[in-house]
Amino acid sequence: MRPKFTSGAVITTLVAALAGIVLAPPATAATGAGPLRGGTYATSHSQDLQVQVDAIMKTGTVGVVARSTGPRGSRYATGGVADRASGDPARPGDRFRIASTTKTFVATVMLQLVGEGRLSLEDTVERWLPGAVSGHGNDGSAITVRQLLQHTSGLFDYTADFPEFASLAGYRAARYTTWTPEQLVAIAMRHAPNFRPGTGWSYSNTNYILAGMIIEKVTGRSWGHEVTTRLIRPLGLRDTLVPSTYPRIPGPHLRGYSAFGEAVPEVDVTEFNPSAGGAAGAMISTTADLSRFYQALLAGRLLRPAQLTAMKTTVRAPELDPGWPGVRYGLGLMEVPLSCGGAYFGHGGDVPGYTTRNGISADGHRAVVLNATGDGSSDSSTQRAQNDLIDTELCA
């Protein structure tokens, strides 16, 4: 399974700019209903949801937070600890790194620019970023914006040649390094493309680094600024951040733990410079904020009808079948079959220490979001338990 920021375990990606953050009061305890941070409310703790969270915990995760939202309000459940050192329990309002779930935010901004007539999905990368994609058979004049957002560009995934996320030693050596988007793209340009643009599908974080660069070229402002002013602030996502280089997660949060696939105990990997993920996965959020964002998006509040239709127009993504059998991919959105018929939309995200999963009904009326910390199982049982939670909630 691949939409992952590391090359090797379960699935997806990472993070982005910290300025003027006002921290809200601490979250309420996981066992009592009440206000979550950011002025949002969980109507009740759910025992049914708790059973499913407990099933995820049994696969070896450290902490889990889950939220299920529908017309009758929101329910939450948590498991495990937010911090192994202190023993503090995971709380429903804890922040976490959302990894590749960032991609839906970036794709939404890109499609807003398309709707404003400032950009076309058929524009080439070369038009906006001359010379950025070249060498070793790479050709930016043959790759469109649509192909970047849909992972049909064929570009090599730079994270597959990125020591910071490949080993414990690599993480320790480079976790505070600042990376520019140009440096990340240059890593990918050392490799030949996987296939000619438009002739296949392969998940590549390089695509979204380029998308972030194009947003800056079109608007004159960073992708993080555009995500903040166009999405985070209008939706009131008080606990969603785009940190550029700041390595810590401010406020109450889940700490991440990983062994990078090595035969050693998991270590605390919460701190690292999010410029390593950039527009491919640098953001931080909560289950409540992600629910609000995805519900607004699928309900048609963020994009014009033509752009939302384009985003939800999917192609098969067989590379992801081990994690989500039958999955399809649109423009920054995954489309996953439901056991009860139909499908849900969303976008998973993995970075060492954190796994984000979500599922939103096509009309935006229902949303399920969860985050798990730690590596989880060495087989696919953690992924299956997470999928089961989402499927059960959306099929209820």
Side-chain angles (χ1 to χ4, degrees):
M1 295 173 278
R2 273 211 52 105
K4 178 155 186 142
F5 219 124
T6 67
S7 53
V10 177
I11 304 186
T12 318
T13 357
L14 292 112
V15 339
L18 185 71
I21 295 173
V22 178
L23 300 182
T28 54
T31 55
L36 302 186
R37 299 189 325 104
T40 56
Y41 286 78
T43 55
S44 64
H45 172 270
S46 168
Q47 188 56 45
D48 289 342
L49 193 60
Q50 188 66 56
V51 170
Q52 298 172 77
V53 166
D54 291 345
I56 297 173
M57 287 297 305
K58 289 176 182 177
T59 68
T61 56
V62 176
V64 177
V65 292
R67 182 182 182 93
S68 182
T69 304
R72 297 182 181 179
S74 297
R75 300 174 298 123
Y76 67 86
T78 65
V81 297
D83 184 339
R84 277 178 164 169
S86 68
D88 290 340
R91 298 148 295 201
D94 280 343
R95 287 175 171 150
F96 47 83
R97 299 194 185 278
I98 70 172
S100 282
T101 302
T102 299
K103 290 180 171 67
T104 310
F105 286 83
V106 172
T108 300
V109 169
M110 292 284 274
L111 287 164
Q112 287 182 342
L113 294 172
V114 171
E116 294 164 10
R118 304 172 68 181
L119 177 70
S120 168
L121 289 173
E122 308 315 318
D123 286 349
T124 65
V125 174
E126 184 67 14
R127 173 180 176 180
W128 292 105
L129 305 172
V133 175
S134 61
H136 293 95
N138 296 289
D139 182 2
S141 67
I143 298 172
T144 66
V145 170
R146 186 190 304 275
Q147 289 166 345
L148 291 181
L149 299 182
Q150 198 159 47
H151 295 300
T152 55
S153 70
L155 291 174
F156 179 85
D157 183 354
Y158 78 92
T159 66
D161 185 15
F162 202 62
E164 185 169 347
F165 298 114
S167 67
L168 180 56
Y171 164 77
R172 286 172 168 160
R175 60 179 166 165
Y176 297 122
T177 299
T178 295
W179 299 86
T180 66
E182 291 79 8
Q183 287 175 318
L184 300 179
V185 171
I187 294 172
M189 293 304 103
R190 298 200 296 249
H191 301 266
N194 296 319
F195 49 80
R196 286 182 290 105
T199 65
W201 193 94
S202 184
Y203 195 91
S204 175
N205 291 290
T206 308
N207 291 324
Y208 277 77
I209 298 298
L210 289 164
M213 293 168 67
I214 291 173
I215 288 173
E216 182 165 1
K217 195 67 175 288
V218 173
T219 66
R221 294 173 293 273
S222 71
W223 72 270
H225 179 275
E226 293 301 308
V227 165
T228 300
T229 58
R230 289 170 174 267
L231 303 176
I232 294 175
R233 289 177 184 165
L235 290 174
L237 308 182
R238 291 183 56 194
D239 292 307
T240 300
L241 317 173
V242 186
S244 57
T245 60
Y246 188 73
R248 298 177 181 175
I249 303 177
H253 61 275
L254 301 174
R255 300 195 69 83
Y257 301 89
S258 180
F260 295 86
E262 300 173 19
V264 297
E266 294 175 338
V267 300
D268 189 324
V269 294
T270 308
E271 292 189 14
F272 73 94
N273 188 321
S275 64
M283 293 175 64
I284 293 166
S285 191
T286 62
T287 57
D289 275 6
L290 289 180
S291 297
R292 183 179 297 182
F293 164 67
Y294 274 108
Q295 288 188 282
L297 174 64
L298 273 298
R301 292 170 48 200
L302 302 179
L303 294 175
R304 298 178 182 183
Q307 280 70 58
L308 182 56
T309 296
M311 181 178 242
K312 294 168 67 177
T313 300
T314 59
V315 298
R316 279 287 285 123
E319 182 180 300
L320 304 184
D321 277 342
W324 299 274
V327 66
R328 300 175 65 86
Y329 199 95
L331 306 183
L333 272 184
M334 296 167 59
E335 183 182 17
V336 182
L338 282 165
S339 65
C340 53
Y344 66 80
F345 290 94
H347 203 300
D350 291 55
V351 67
Y354 298 90
T355 300
T356 299
R357 297 291 182 266
N358 45 68
I360 301 84
S361 62
D363 58 8
H365 289 171
R366 302 187 67 184
V368 183
V369 178
L370 67 91
N371 184 270
T373 58
D375 290 335
S377 64
S378 58
D379 58 17
S380 59
S381 59
T382 299
Q383 172 73 10
R384 287 198 306 270
Q386 293 165 340
N387 287 354
D388 288 347
L389 184 152
I390 293 172
D391 189 84
T392 298
E393 288 296 307
L394 293 178
C395 285

